[in-house]
Amino acid sequence: MNALTILSFLFFTGMVALISYLLTRKENLASQDGYFLGGRNLGAWVIAGSLMLTNLSTEQLIGLNQQGFTDTLAVMGWEVGSAIALVIVAFFLLPRYLKGGITTIPDFLEDRYDFGTKQIVTVLFLFGYVFNLLPPILYSGAVAINGMFDIPEVLGVSRTAGLWITVFAIGIVGSIYAVFGGLKAVAVSDSINGVGLLLGGLLIPVLGLYALGDGSIGSGFNTIMENSPEKLNSIGGADSPVPFSTMVTGMLLVNLFYWGTAQHIMQRAIAAKNLKEGQKGVLIAAFLKLFGPVFLILPGIIAYNMFGPDIESADAYPMLVGEVLPTPLVGFFAAVLFGAILSSFNSALNSSVTLISLNIYKPYFKPSAPDREIVRKGKYVGIILALFAMCLAPLIDKVPQGFFQYLQIVNGFYNVPIFTVLIVGYLTKRVPAIAAKISLFLFITVYAITQLFWDTGIHFLHILGVLFVVCTGLMVVIGKFWPRDTAFVLEEKAKVDMKPWKLVYPVGIAATMAMILIYVLFSPAGIL
């Protein structure tokens, strides 16, 4: 690690922090909307950038490229498949969220069902964030930064000690953004880092193909086509981590939950200055997700052809970066990667604080608390959660390989169950609160049995799809025979202009067609 690398890293990181501070220093962070929703004045490009960078972090860069190295392009379902989910969010979910004037996703569930349902879902969200999102983000980020800067050797400590040091460094900086800057600071820093991540992320496969083709990008791609054409197959078989059939079952549901229900994601769109900007931001993100495989999977395939199949799959991406990236750009790319790690961490932390402050502290401890007190208590909670995540993250080093797939399986304990009760709530008027509670209990229990005790031999995404159909049907039946007393009507509580974007449907359809075209091109009947 030379001085130029360190200087470029510090320069870009410092620049992002300074710009974020200058653009948000006059924000009113004493009010709920100001702190938790950025004053409800985020524009389309800030929303799109924040959505992208909140989603992208080292578990994607390392994990998906690892799967690209060991498997095929079929794992792009996690990325390209997000486009259709974002289109549905822009068409259907976002207008309803903004119409209801909600701050957290569980807010709607209280209006639609009852307070108990809202609290159950709040606890499920917090379980996912505190145990399966915050610590893994810190861990995977620390592993990547340690690898790029060789922290243990620089500091003369063991690998484990270097991991702890890096985890706390990332956690402390991320906490400053999330706890003291509010959502606006998080979103602005996300947007700036998002530009850098796209540039840096796209540069790696370009340089990789250039090196693989001995000075020709086209020759590099031809080398892949000749040596490992099976890698470019987007249609995953039954033994693939992402069988193509899951695209219309659990994969679609997981993506709909993530992009349309997960608090740390939708909080950006809910903070839009109006419906038009929110829809534009979501659809811009849909198009950007179509580029995901280029820098999240293709580098792993390039590494397979460049280094052979015998290296550790988890080392594929870091090795490729070290091989093809010029030394002056290593610091810049590390800073961008650092920004991506911070984004995912501080976004999840901000959303956790939002849920605890508004859905637990206020209703249970002090219903009459003014905004200033809620925000202050929220900051204390944020500090505690951050410290907990920092202490837990290094312990993940003991978890077996298959890290990205493991995270997706564990997410199934709460993501599709929550989405099930939410979508039934929007699509029906008479389904009662007890139906939502029975659905959540049944869904989580059966899924736990299939993942922990009974190996059915069925892909976990298919199991999620089947349980979605069963629990949805059960809720509808309960609503038929034991309906709620009055039909639910979504009240008009909008706090922003609700005029939709006039191009929302043409642009949304175009994004969907582009997604289909990508699958066709990289199918056995396409270029292969």
Side-chain angles (χ1 to χ4, degrees), residues 148-162:
M148 294 192 75
F149 286 107
D150 201 4
I151 300 297
E153 182 176 335
V154 171
L155 299 181
V157 297
S158 67
R159 179 183 182 278
T160 301

Side-chain angles (χ1 to χ4, degrees), residues 133-426:
L133 189 58
L134 289 170
I137 288 170
L138 288 178
Y139 166 74
S140 59
V143 169
I145 295 297
N146 267 4
M148 294 192 75
F149 286 107
D150 201 4
I151 300 297
E153 182 176 335
V154 171
L155 299 181
V157 297
S158 67
R159 179 183 182 278
T160 301
L163 198 61
W164 278 90
I165 292 169
T166 313
V167 160
F168 269 79
I170 296 170
I172 290 170
V173 176
S175 301
I176 292 172
Y177 276 108
V179 175
F180 300 105
L183 181 68
K184 187 67 176 288
V186 172
V188 170
S189 63
D190 285 355
S191 300
I192 302 168
N193 278 315
V195 175
L197 184 65
L198 283 174
L199 293 175
L202 290 171
L203 189 61
I204 299 302
V206 169
L207 293 176
L209 289 173
Y210 184 83
L212 190 62
D214 293 324
S216 170
I217 295 175
S219 296
F221 191 78
N222 287 335
T223 298
I224 295 176
M225 292 286 290
E226 293 170 3
N227 296 342
S228 57
E230 72 284 353
K231 289 281 185 184
L232 297 179
N233 184 6
S234 65
I235 310 299
D239 58 345
S240 169
V242 183
F244 184 71
S245 56
T246 64
M247 292 297 296
V248 293
T249 58
M251 174 67 76
L252 177 61
L253 295 170
V254 169
N255 278 329
L256 277 171
F257 165 83
Y258 185 85
W259 294 105
T261 309
Q263 178 68 28
H264 72 297
I265 292 294
M266 279 314 297
Q267 197 164 331
R268 279 105 192 89
I270 294 172
K273 62 176 65 176
N274 52 49
L275 176 58
K276 175 183 176 181
E277 290 296 302
Q279 289 176 320
K280 285 169 63 177
V282 169
L283 290 179
I284 290 170
F287 276 101
L288 292 175
K289 290 300 290 181
L290 297 178
F291 291 96
V294 176
F295 56 91
L296 290 175
I297 302 171
L298 181 57
I301 297 174
I302 295 172
Y304 178 88
N305 282 270
M306 186 175 291
F307 306 121
D310 297 328
I311 66 169
E312 286 290 331
S313 58
D315 294 334
Y317 188 74
M319 282 183 66
L320 182 66
V321 172
E323 180 73 20
V324 304
L325 199 64
T327 301
L329 293 179
V330 172
F332 162 76
F333 189 73
V336 167
L337 191 62
F338 187 65
I341 300 162
L342 290 182
S343 171
S344 296
F345 177 73
N346 57 32
S347 297
L349 183 60
N350 181 271
S351 294
S352 300
V353 170
T354 302
L355 290 169
I356 291 175
S357 301
L358 301 184
N359 292 2
I360 294 179
Y361 174 74
K362 186 173 183 178
Y364 287 115
F365 296 96
K366 200 167 184 180
S368 61
D371 283 7
R372 186 176 296 276
E373 180 178 341
I374 293 173
V375 170
R376 187 176 70 251
K377 297 294 186 181
K379 291 179 179 179
Y380 296 152
V381 170
I383 293 171
I384 293 172
L385 289 180
L387 288 172
F388 176 81
M390 290 180 222
C391 292
L392 190 61
L395 303 180
I396 299 176
D397 201 38
K398 309 301 179 184
V399 171
Q401 292 294 324
F403 183 54
F404 185 79
Q405 193 81 347
Y406 159 79
L407 289 179
Q408 300 305 325
I409 292 172
V410 175
N411 284 338
F413 281 92
Y414 66 96
N415 55 18
V416 182
I418 293 175
F419 180 75
T420 302
V421 299
L422 182 132
I423 200 67
V424 170
Y426 273 124

